[in-house]
Amino acid sequence: MIRNSFNQGWTIGSNTGFFHISNKEPPKQITLPYDAMIMNQRNDHTESGGKKGFFPDRSYDYVKKFFVPAEYKDKRVTFEFEGVYMNAMVYINGDFAGQHPYGYSNFYIKADRFLKYGEENEIKVVTKSSDDSRWYTGTGIYRNTRIMVADSVHISVDGIKITTPDLGKGHAIVAVATIVENEGMNPEATTVVTEIIDAEGNTVAIDNAPLTAFAGESATMRQRLYVRQPKLWSVEAPYLYICRSKVMAGEKMLDEEINTFGIRSLSLDAEEGLKINGQVVKLRGACIHHDNGVIGAATFDRAEERRVEILKEAGFNAIRSAHHPMSKALLKACDSLGMLVMDESFDIWTSNKTPYDYALYFPTWWEKDIQAMVDKDFNHPCVIMYSIGNEIPDTGSSNGTVWGRKLAEKIRSLDSTRYIINSINGMVSVIDLLKSVMQGTMTGDVNSQMADFGAMIKGIMNLEIVTNSTAESFAVVDIAGYNYADSRYVNDKKLFPNRVICGSETFPKDIAGNWKLVRENGHVIGDFTWTGWDYLGEAGIGKIEYDKSSAGNFMGNYPWMIAYCGDIDITGNRRPISYYREIVYGLRNQPYIAVQSPEHYGKEPIASPWFWSDSISSWTWPGFEEKPVKVEIYSDAEEVELLLNGKSMGKATVGEKSDFKATFDIVFIPGELKAIAYAKGKETGSMVLETAGKELELKMDVDREVLEATGEDLAYVMISLTDEAGILQTSADRKVSVTVEGSGVLQGFGSADPKSTENFFDTARTTFDGMVLAVVRSKAEAGMITVTASAEDCSPKTISIQVNSFVL
């Protein structure tokens, strides 16, 4: 089966006429993957409001012309759509060819009966989006599309299933199931050839087996291949093999498919927890949404790869896709880089969370979408568990547990090699019962805990009604996913001695206590923070306010756009909480300095439970000289000392007993701020912040200097304001203009400012804390890309990026 990208050459329109991506003329063609929503101007009157970051919902039509050769009459043609948001209706040459309501699962359209052979054809995809989500979704065909052309006898779509059921001393059994489909008129005698190839290109196992394919039927060939001295896949060493599958008719090859996979084993119990290849693994987890920041929901392969690279560098070893199946590109990156995956199916079952969400379709479509998720994930060693839902209200009722059992058993029927989790928020599960509970049955202790939203959640989690109402829902899965229920970890070992628990969603500020619980309790296998990477939509859930009049809202009012709760901001820069978490994990032994904004010194913050602190790693605060400021130091040492221009500001205890954090109240004086960590009286590490000088320069850092001419490769250019010594100017924000010339285009441009009113498609953006990010996409032609940045009071700077010809 030949699988070709079908990303290029789509035309997009909307119900308001042709869709504009700039103030100039609208485009004739677009390159996919493409998020139409991110190209709209935000406003405070959108239907979805802050849930989607005040981006407007619209419906779009995608149209593409393509030529079908006459010889395709004897072929089978199928279109793959990895993700269309949402309510996709597909038409080929004006005829209805298929539909797919869910915006996050891949689907296939068989095209043969609609095609005109030897002629130009037209495919049209209509999408409809309204108030259908709690977060930013993007709109349209935002993931890859492909056209697949096969002979009448071929390997079925998603027809290769690879498992490693037997790992012995010095060997592994690789079991490969190959589904061969015959869509022709006659039976075919075939041979299935399966070859296992290591990362160095050596064939380490091969098997040939005859298979008779009857007309109009599919047949499964199961082969067990013996691999000697296998190299195992793990987070630390993500070794991948290739499985090459061929279907032969004599000497003629009818079809071929290549899959990568890893050899690894999983085990799970309530005493030692999760083991991979026989070794206990604690999950240092990050919940992530699917958008890619300044380019919106567009799922470019490089965008997904870069995100995994940065998350892993920050100390995470696992990600949870919140709250939907992740992209194929993200799975591929997790395989190759060594990142474990909890792939999540749904945020809704039968109870709506927004007026027009997936609950309208779940009862009819859930099996197809579960099948699509499992088929997509099956050969990826990174995937260790499937989540059947997130904070599903149904999980507190007997009818809801029936749905949970259906979902779990459906997955088990498709894939028995991985574990199943349900990410349950006990408060959501009993939300309909809470009114009566709060009126008469809550204890004084619980009432006293509800001084803020975070404490209220934790108080409710410990109620007996939550224990009883969720017991059956947890009983149908392998792992109990606890959202914000870390206070139950220890006691639930007594109540449910065989229950394995995962902190599937936790508050960032609680990581020190939570990680201690994970380390000390075998039945608790990990912690997933909300969130590892910041995201568009759910605007301002991680905000901090000093004005009581606006502090009571769950989300921020317009112009809030970003959730503002991620360890890593939407441009890929690590925030202070990220370094703190790395220290808590035991992965960093150097101290870290963060400074709270002196503008708010002495004011009582009104913070969301998802907020960390109002701090950045900077000692540049012009206008606040001689004024008080609060300095935070994170360290795993016994104590830290703070020095200002060589003078000691005192020492403080840190380490685990002090939640790895010390604070100092000092006065801002420009110069050098230094933290020194000590253990047993000896220095173990240090960090220095220096005040930026008065000079202002532009600095450009690019993550990759060579791209491929695929039309879809990306380079990330971080543009910073610095002084002459390269010190970041965090207090000199200004508008930066960028031009891209040559073999590339500007795909997106923006900062991590959570309340910016600027858009991501203009060529000028204001920096935030001294930085702004330009994402440059290669064209489908080799050459050179020139990126130039300019700003007021700065000399322009230019960088070059090579674009090489793409070779398969």
Side-chain angles (χ1 to χ4, degrees):
M1 185 179 294
I2 300 173
R3 292 170 167 82
N4 289 327
S5 172
F6 204 62
N7 288 341
Q8 309 289 330
W10 291 83
T11 301
I12 183 172
S14 74
N15 54 15
T16 58
F18 216 93
F19 176 57
H20 291 256
I21 64 165
S22 71
N23 295 325
K24 299 180 181 179
E25 299 221 351
K28 299 295 183 185
Q29 303 287 321
I30 61 170
T31 298
L32 297 179
Y34 185 83
D35 175 12
M37 182 176 284
I38 202 71
M39 309 309 288
N40 285 297
Q41 191 68 48
R42 298 189 309 129
N43 66 79
D44 60 353
H45 301 297
T46 60
E47 185 179 15
S48 296
K51 290 176 288 187
K52 292 189 179 180
F54 298 98
F55 284 90
D57 286 302
R58 287 182 183 169
S59 300
Y60 295 94
D61 296 348
Y62 291 78
V63 178
K64 179 180 170 82
K65 305 285 187 180
F66 62 102
F67 181 78
V68 178
E71 57 266 28
Y72 277 18
K73 281 186 178 181
D74 299 321
K75 304 285 187 181
R76 302 281 75 83
V77 177
T78 302
F79 291 103
E80 178 187 15
F81 295 89
E82 287 190 17
V84 181
Y85 200 89
M86 69 176 282
N87 294 311
M89 303 285 284
V90 182
Y91 301 85
I92 299 176
N93 295 322
D95 291 323
F96 172 72
Q99 69 179 122
H100 194 77
Y102 199 28
Y104 297 106
S105 56
N106 57 303
F107 63 98
Y108 303 96
I109 300 293
K110 286 184 175 274
D112 303 295
R113 61 181 172 145
F114 306 104
L115 297 178
K116 300 174 182 177
Y117 298 99
E119 300 181 36
E120 187 175 69
N121 289 247
E122 178 187 274
I123 185 170
K124 179 179 180 180
V125 180
V126 178
T127 68
K128 296 185 182 297
S129 180
S130 55
D131 189 3
D132 48 36
S133 179
R134 300 186 296 115
W135 57 81
Y136 178 87
T137 58
T139 304
I141 310 176
Y142 68 98
R143 290 180 180 170
N144 289 320
T145 59
R146 292 180 182 85
I147 183 171
M148 300 184 289
V149 182
D151 287 331
S152 58
V153 178
H154 57 266
I155 299 170
S156 294
V157 171
D158 298 318
I160 305 292
K161 298 291 192 293
I162 307 167
T163 59
T164 55
D166 183 3
L167 295 187
K169 188 175 181 180
H171 80 276
I173 297 298
V174 178
V176 183
T178 304
I179 304 173
V180 177
E181 189 172 2
N182 186 349
E183 295 188 79
M185 301 297 292
N186 301 299
E188 187 83 49
T190 71
T191 300
V192 175
V193 182
T194 300
E195 185 179 8
I196 306 300
I197 304 167
D198 66 18
E200 291 71 44
N202 304 305
T203 297
V204 295
I206 191 168
D207 187 71
N208 303 321
L211 181 145
T212 301
F214 285 110
E217 295 184 5
S218 62
T220 301
M221 170 59 68
R222 300 186 185 276
Q223 296 164 292
R224 291 170 60 87
L225 292 89
Y226 190 97
V227 176
R228 292 176 174 83
Q229 301 300 324
K231 295 181 180 179
L232 304 186
W233 186 96
S234 67
V235 170
E236 295 75 22
Y239 192 91
L240 293 174
Y241 288 85
I242 291 173
C243 176
R244 176 179 290 153
S245 306
K246 297 178 184 178
V247 178
M248 308 292 295
E251 296 299 317
K252 179 183 178 182
M253 186 171 70
L254 301 178
D255 201 359
E256 180 183 30
E257 185 169 325
I258 293 175
N259 287 275
T260 59
F261 71 99
I263 298 175
R264 56 114 177 95
S265 66
L266 299 176
S267 66
L268 185 73
D269 63 66
E271 292 301 318
E272 294 185 281
L274 173 70
K275 289 184 180 180
I276 299 178
N277 303 327
Q279 301 296 316
V280 173
V281 175
K282 295 291 188 178
L283 302 177
R284 305 188 299 269
C287 297
I288 61 169
H289 271 228
H290 74 300
D291 72 81
N292 279 302
V294 304
I295 61 173
T299 307
F300 290 90
D301 290 9
R302 173 55 191 162
E304 303 289 64
E305 181 184 54
R306 174 180 179 261
R307 179 155 47 162
V308 177
E309 289 173 349
I310 293 172
L311 285 166
K312 190 163 186 180
E313 288 169 2
F316 293 109
N317 67 1
I319 57 177
R320 171 191 177 212
S321 62
H323 305 287
H324 43 69
M326 63 173 55
S327 70
K328 289 186 175 182
L330 189 53
L331 289 171
K332 180 181 178 182
C334 291
D335 279 349
S336 62
L337 296 171
M339 182 70 77
L340 302 171
V341 167
M342 178 201 303
D343 207 4
E344 196 153 75
S345 54
F346 308 117
D347 186 56
I348 314 107
W349 293 351
T350 63
S351 299
N352 292 84
K353 293 182 180 178
T354 56
Y356 304 107
D357 61 24
Y358 181 74
L360 301 177
Y361 312 100
F362 173 85
T364 303
W365 284 86
W366 70 271
E367 286 188 274
K368 290 182 179 179
D369 289 320
I370 286 291
Q371 175 97 44
M373 179 181 72
V374 174
D375 283 346
K376 169 180 62 70
D377 292 3
F378 198 97
N379 296 331
H380 291 279
C382 63
V383 180
I384 59 172
M385 68 179 92
Y386 300 108
S387 170
I388 60 174
N390 168 70
E391 298 188 343
I392 304 294
D394 315 44
T395 53
S397 71
S398 57
N399 286 330
T401 60
V402 170
W403 277 112
R405 184 171 284 105
K406 286 181 179 181
L407 287 158
E409 291 306 312
K410 177 65 176 180
I411 291 175
R412 290 184 178 113
S413 73
L414 299 170
D415 183 357
S416 62
T417 69
R418 294 176 172 91
Y419 303 113
I420 300 172
I421 186 172
N422 196 348
S423 304
I424 291 177
N425 182 321
M427 183 182 73
V428 175
S429 300
V430 300
I431 196 74
D432 292 336
L433 303 173
L434 280 182
K435 184 175 180 180
S436 61
V437 171
M438 294 180 72
Q439 285 177 345
T441 62
M442 289 179 63
T443 67
D445 289 338
V446 173
N447 278 318
S448 67
Q449 290 178 333
M450 296 190 177
D452 60 49
F453 185 62
M456 180 190 73
I457 292 176
K458 290 194 175 187
I460 291 171
M461 293 303 181
N462 287 296
L463 295 174
E464 186 177 359
I465 192 172
V466 172
T467 305
N468 297 334
S469 296
T470 58
E472 188 176 356
S473 284
F474 282 133
V476 305
V477 294
D478 306 305
I479 302 169
Y482 280 22
N483 283 18
Y484 309 107
D486 45 279
S487 59
R488 298 190 62 109
Y489 290 175
V490 175
N491 286 338
D492 278 5
K493 177 63 174 175
K494 302 172 186 176
L495 292 173
F496 307 97
N498 294 304
R499 181 179 288 183
V500 178
I501 295 171
C502 178
S504 43
E505 194 167 314
T506 62
F507 294 123
K509 60 184 177 60
D510 294 339
I511 184 57
N514 285 349
W515 195 243
K516 186 174 187 292
L517 289 169
V518 171
R519 289 197 335 261
E520 294 178 353
N521 292 276
H523 70 293
V524 183
I525 65 172
D527 177 277
F528 286 78
T529 187
W530 191 265
T531 57
W533 194 287
D534 217 344
Y535 58 98
L536 304 174
E538 287 195 309
I541 68 160
K543 62 187 172 71
I544 188 168
E545 301 278 7
Y546 297 92
D547 180 3
K548 292 185 178 180
S549 64
S550 60
N553 299 330
F554 176 72
M555 289 190 289
N557 297 324
Y558 183 85
W560 274 95
M561 170 179 56
I562 296 169
Y564 208 51
C565 60
D567 278 28
I568 299 163
D569 70 30
I570 67 165
T571 67
N573 285 314
R574 295 174 64 181
R575 299 170 68 191
I577 174 64
S578 174
Y579 295 94
Y580 176 79
R581 188 182 307 279
E582 190 179 12
I583 288 168
V584 171
Y585 285 154
L587 302 175
R588 176 188 172 97
N589 57 19
Q590 298 296 307
Y592 188 82
I593 306 172
V595 181
Q596 294 185 15
S597 172
E599 178 185 357
H600 302 299
Y601 183 86
K603 298 178 182 177
E604 186 66 29
I606 306 166
S608 139
W610 290 278
F611 194 80
W612 174 239
S613 74
D614 186 15
S615 62
I616 59 174
S617 189
S618 174
W619 194 238
T620 303
W621 303 97
F624 291 95
E625 291 79 4
E626 305 294 335
K627 294 184 178 180
V629 64
K630 191 176 291 290
V631 177
E632 303 171 357
I633 301 179
Y634 318 140
S635 175
D636 64 349
E638 293 174 358
E639 63 177 359
V640 291
E641 183 179 18
L642 183 66
L643 290 84
L644 177 57
N645 296 326
K647 181 180 179 181
S648 177
M649 297 290 102
K651 292 184 177 181
T653 58
V654 281
E656 186 172 0
K657 292 182 179 179
S658 299
D659 286 340
F660 304 94
K661 182 179 177 182
T663 58
F664 294 82
D665 290 276
I666 63 174
V667 171
F668 171 61
I669 299 174
E672 179 188 90
L673 190 68
K674 184 176 184 179
I676 303 176
Y678 299 94
K680 297 180 180 180
K682 294 183 178 181
E683 181 177 332
T684 59
S686 64
M687 179 179 173
V688 172
L689 293 178
E690 293 182 280
T691 305
K694 294 183 180 180
E695 295 296 320
L696 199 61
E697 295 185 2
L698 285 173
K699 181 184 178 186
M700 301 176 72
D701 296 295
V702 62
D703 69 330
R704 303 162 78 212
E705 295 181 347
V706 179
L707 302 182
E708 292 183 329
T710 61
E712 299 170 17
D713 206 1
L714 300 180
Y716 285 77
V717 184
M718 193 66 69
I719 304 170
S720 308
L721 299 169
T722 73
D723 68 2
E724 66 277 11
I727 300 172
L728 187 65
Q729 291 273 16
T730 54
S731 299
D733 286 324
R734 64 201 54 221
K735 190 160 283 192
V736 175
S737 296
V738 66
T739 60
V740 178
E741 298 175 314
S743 299
V745 297
L746 184 64
Q747 183 68 27
F749 189 34
S751 74
D753 184 352
K755 296 188 284 186
S756 174
T757 57
E758 299 171 335
N759 57 53
F760 293 118
F761 52 82
D762 280 338
T763 57
R765 280 296 302 254
T766 303
T767 59
F768 180 69
D769 291 336
M771 291 178 284
V772 67
L773 176 70
V775 182
V776 177
R777 175 173 55 80
S778 67
K779 294 180 180 177
E781 59 189 47
M784 190 71 70
I785 301 173
T786 301
V787 185
T788 302
S790 59
E792 184 180 357
D793 300 325
C794 300
S795 299
K797 286 291 176 67
T798 297
I799 62 166
S800 297
I801 303 168
Q802 179 70 41
V803 180
N804 291 336
S805 298
F806 176 64
V807 179
L808 286 174

